[in-house]
Amino acid sequence: MNERAALQSGILLAAVAAACWGLLLTMGDEMPMGFGLWIGAWTVMMAAMMLPSTSPLVLLYARQSTAMSSALLTAGYVAVWAAVGLAAYGFDMRLPDPSNRVVGAVLIAAGLYQLTPLKTACLKRCRNPTDFLVTHWRRGRVGALRLGVEHGAYCIGCCWALMGVLIVAGSMSLAWVVAIALVVAGEKLLPAGQLFGRLGGVGLLVAGIVVAL
């Protein structure tokens, strides 16, 4: 095993995540105007929120590969979330001031999704980096990039509804970013993460009903 590569990857991952959180604190609750700046801010936000919970996969991959390959895996993963920002931008621009009913509906929809088999299947992939690497292993730098993209796709399947809550209910405020990042980390990293996610779904359902009424 390449422990040196794992150490280098861990340091780099922590530094990137810390830098992204620092930028978020600097931005505060306001997303910048303009497509390019908005997408850039979204990418920073996703990196800050999602990189800590994907660190087990990155570090495990680094032990079997190189620090450069694990960096490419991470880049592929972040690129997928950056691409999601294209849809998020359009959605955010068309819904600048949602009503309580709309917010409630989004919370209820997210809560219901938390309880679906698709959510469970995607979460299992995210929670088991060893199984993911065994079934999706690719050689070389291009393979590392592809691994990051594939893992990002499962992560989107796991978390897209929570991001909808962030955009609509939370207006992408810093407090909501922190809260959802903690939920995502809990689902993926805690021993009882699947139960944690289901309880979160029930909580979203209750909150949605209260807000809608």
Side-chain angles (χ1 to χ4, degrees):
M1 288 191 178
N2 194 342
E3 294 297 336
R4 181 178 179 182
L7 178 60
Q8 292 172 338
S9 297
I11 293 172
L12 179 61
L13 199 64
V16 171
C20 289
W21 278 111
L23 286 172
L24 287 182
L25 290 173
T26 301
M27 289 190 298
D29 289 338
E30 296 296 327
M31 289 289 282
M33 300 301 293
F35 176 75
L37 291 175
W38 198 98
I39 294 296
W42 168 270
T43 302
V44 169
M45 185 184 300
M46 292 302 102
M49 295 175 68
M50 311 307 289
L51 286 183
S53 62
T54 200
S55 57
L57 173 72
V58 175
L59 297 180
L60 180 61
Y61 181 74
R63 290 189 178 95
Q64 310 299 327
S65 185
T66 65
M68 175 59 73
S69 292
S70 67
L72 288 171
L73 185 153
T74 304
Y77 177 84
V78 174
V80 172
W81 276 110
V84 171
L86 301 176
Y89 176 80
F91 188 70
D92 187 44
M93 292 300 104
R94 286 170 174 77
L95 196 68
D97 189 20
S99 66
N100 285 347
R101 287 187 177 182
V102 171
V103 172
V106 170
L107 290 170
I108 291 170
L112 289 173
Y113 184 72
Q114 289 288 108
L115 307 175
T116 63
L118 179 58
K119 163 72 180 193
T120 300
C122 291
L123 181 57
K124 284 182 178 179
R125 289 291 188 181
C126 293
R127 284 176 53 81
N128 294 282
T130 301
D131 290 345
F132 178 82
L133 289 178
V134 167
T135 56
H136 292 78
W137 183 267
R138 301 286 188 276
R139 293 182 179 179
R141 294 182 177 181
V142 174
L145 194 64
R146 182 175 172 181
L147 272 173
V149 171
E150 291 176 350
H151 187 66
Y154 281 114
C155 191
I156 290 168
C158 179
C159 302
W160 70 266
L162 294 174
M163 297 309 159
V165 171
L166 174 64
I167 295 170
V168 178
S171 300
M172 288 183 286
S173 69
L174 188 58
W176 277 86
V177 169
V178 173
I180 292 179
L182 290 174
V183 170
V184 170
E187 285 185 332
K188 294 183 178 180
L189 302 178
L190 291 178
Q194 290 185 354
L195 176 61
F196 181 79
R198 289 180 174 274
L199 291 175
V202 173
L204 288 170
L205 280 171
V206 172
I209 293 170
V210 171
V211 171
L213 294 178

